[in-house]
Amino acid sequence: NTPRKLCVCGKSKSLPYCDGSHMGESWNCEETTDVLPFYKYGFLSANVRYSNLIQQLCERFKGKNILDMHKAPYPTLQTLVILLDGFDDIEGTKAIVTRWMDTFSNAILLGLGVSTHYLFAELFKKHTKKSIYVADVPIDMKPYMFFFHIENLIDLFENPPMKLQREPAPLDAPRLANEDDRCGCMHRVFLSHAVADEDIILPAVNYLRKHFKADIFVCLDSIPIATNWSSRINDQLEDRSHFIVLMSKAVKQSHFCSFEIGYAKGLGKKIHMVSLDGAMPPAFVSDTQCVDLPRLQHLVPHRSITELLIKTLSDILK
């Protein structure tokens, strides 16, 4: 029996087999009977300074650097992620995007320290049927956080808790990158922790507050001067939708943390447990599953405890 060719143009009336419909679609499938490869993500940056970052993102999301694929037929992509910082060859990037325009359904446009409105207008103003999501990525952060921030934006694109702006839209409309719009949907949370752990905790808290407008109560800076701190803590415990304990050996020795955990449990709050140093929850809440960051770090040794804490907190706050 002569093997039948598989349809690659999608127009056949005898799917999954070819019936010759490609002849009217300007397809030539004489050279191969293979279905073109599919990737969930393709990544593009015309600037060589981001080549290592693109490689990391390809490994993380099992995607492809489209600059590594030089000739047609091109694989099918679900989403094309484009990184631009304003110093790139805009015309060259536009030519690459145009060449790939028929191969992807969505695009994520990340402006690295530059307005995505300008980049969107340059790259996509003639292709209004595509679903384009835009975000400005700050570059005034530590290098190890840069990859994490982009990774988090792509994760949020897949499971959006935030008000992602879909382009095209009027160029004077509010953007995703607007600080006031970026994270209106994160839960308001009470963070119970020990003072001794603040060196680990505060970088994560400040990151989520700055870049995602997370509303996080911590005793260090959430209690106004001259306020009755005990009443303030009680009010916040009652008011917040989520309660997170950053468990540690220091927390287990803290009477204040034990009170906060007990109060939250009595209020029927949903309690999240995250262990910073492997310490497990006290007996009266030992039936609550705890995220053990040091144990998790064994699976991803290239991540610091602070990075893992940011990732864990952002997952809880979605």
Side-chain angles (χ1 to χ4, degrees):
N1 293 330
T2 303
R4 298 181 65 182
K5 295 178 180 179
L6 296 176
C7 172
V8 294
C9 71
K11 302 296 184 180
S12 173
K13 296 179 175 59
S14 302
L15 291 173
Y17 301 109
C18 172
D19 66 357
S21 296
H22 62 277
M23 300 300 292
E25 299 294 326
S26 299
W27 281 75
N28 178 6
C29 56
E30 292 300 320
E31 297 180 0
T32 179
T33 59
D34 295 331
V35 177
L36 294 175
F38 170 82
Y39 298 100
K40 190 171 184 179
Y41 287 102
F43 294 90
L44 168 63
S45 175
N47 197 323
V48 294
R49 76 174 70 181
Y50 300 118
S51 57
N52 287 338
L53 176 60
I54 292 291
Q55 182 178 351
Q56 285 182 289
L57 291 169
C58 287
E59 292 175 357
R60 164 63 178 81
F61 291 98
K62 296 180 173 58
K64 280 288 183 181
N65 182 350
I66 68 172
L67 293 183
D68 291 340
M69 294 171 276
H70 305 290
K71 62 180 182 178
Y74 300 116
T76 301
L77 307 174
Q78 178 173 312
T79 302
L80 177 63
V81 181
I82 306 166
L83 278 63
L84 288 169
D85 67 359
F87 296 98
D88 309 79
D89 176 5
I90 297 295
E91 290 302 317
T93 302
K94 190 192 312 185
I96 296 171
V97 171
T98 300
R99 192 185 317 147
W100 282 76
M101 191 63 68
D102 294 332
T103 69
F104 64 89
S105 302
N106 309 303
I108 302 175
L109 182 58
L110 301 178
L112 311 182
V114 65
S115 169
T116 49
H117 261 191
Y118 164 71
L119 300 175
F120 166 74
E122 286 297 308
L123 292 174
F124 291 103
K125 58 186 176 184
K126 294 182 180 179
H127 303 280
T128 56
K129 293 183 179 180
K130 295 290 182 181
S131 296
I132 314 297
Y133 295 86
V134 298
D136 292 350
V137 179
I139 57 176
D140 59 340
M141 60 177 64
K142 294 181 179 179
Y144 76 89
M145 295 303 302
F146 196 55
F147 166 76
F148 177 81
H149 188 82
I150 294 176
E151 178 192 42
N152 206 36
L153 284 174
I154 296 175
D155 283 338
L156 292 171
F157 166 77
E158 291 186 341
N159 303 289
M162 301 184 296
K163 300 175 182 177
L164 287 173
Q165 165 124 0
R166 177 172 295 195
E167 297 283 11
L171 293 183
D172 57 351
R175 298 180 290 119
L176 165 72
N178 188 314
E179 289 291 329
D180 294 330
D181 291 338
R182 180 167 290 182
C183 288
C185 299
M186 279 192 165
H187 294 295
R188 301 175 66 246
V189 65
F190 187 105
L191 208 60
S192 180
H193 69 282
V195 174
D197 300 321
E198 286 179 348
D199 287 346
I200 299 174
I201 295 168
L202 291 182
V205 170
N206 291 335
Y207 175 86
L208 291 170
R209 284 172 169 173
K210 178 179 180 180
H211 299 296
F212 296 100
K213 286 294 183 285
D215 187 351
I216 303 174
F217 178 90
V218 292
C219 293
L220 175 67
D221 60 8
S222 301
I223 302 177
I225 296 175
T227 299
N228 184 304
W229 61 266
S230 179
S231 297
R232 175 72 173 175
I233 288 174
N234 291 348
D235 291 343
Q236 291 300 311
L237 280 168
E238 295 173 4
D239 183 57
R240 301 277 161 160
S241 59
H242 279 52
F243 179 83
I244 301 176
V245 183
L246 298 183
M247 186 57 57
S248 68
K249 295 175 182 177
V251 166
K252 297 189 76 169
Q253 297 175 358
S254 169
H255 297 298
F256 293 109
C257 290
S258 295
F259 163 78
E260 291 168 355
I261 298 170
Y263 199 106
K265 186 175 178 66
L267 291 170
K269 296 287 183 179
K270 184 174 184 178
I271 298 176
H272 301 271
M273 295 281 186
V274 181
S275 179
L276 302 175
D277 58 8
M280 289 294 100
F284 68 96
V285 284
S286 60
D287 59 341
T288 301
Q289 179 66 20
C290 180
V291 178
D292 188 340
L293 295 186
R295 185 179 177 187
L296 186 59
Q297 194 178 38
H298 286 300
L299 302 176
V300 281
H302 58 284
R303 289 290 183 84
S304 68
I305 290 295
T306 298
E307 287 180 280
L308 293 173
L309 178 59
I310 291 173
K311 178 64 174 173
T312 302
L313 291 178
S314 65
D315 287 343
I316 294 172
L317 293 173
K318 290 177 182 177

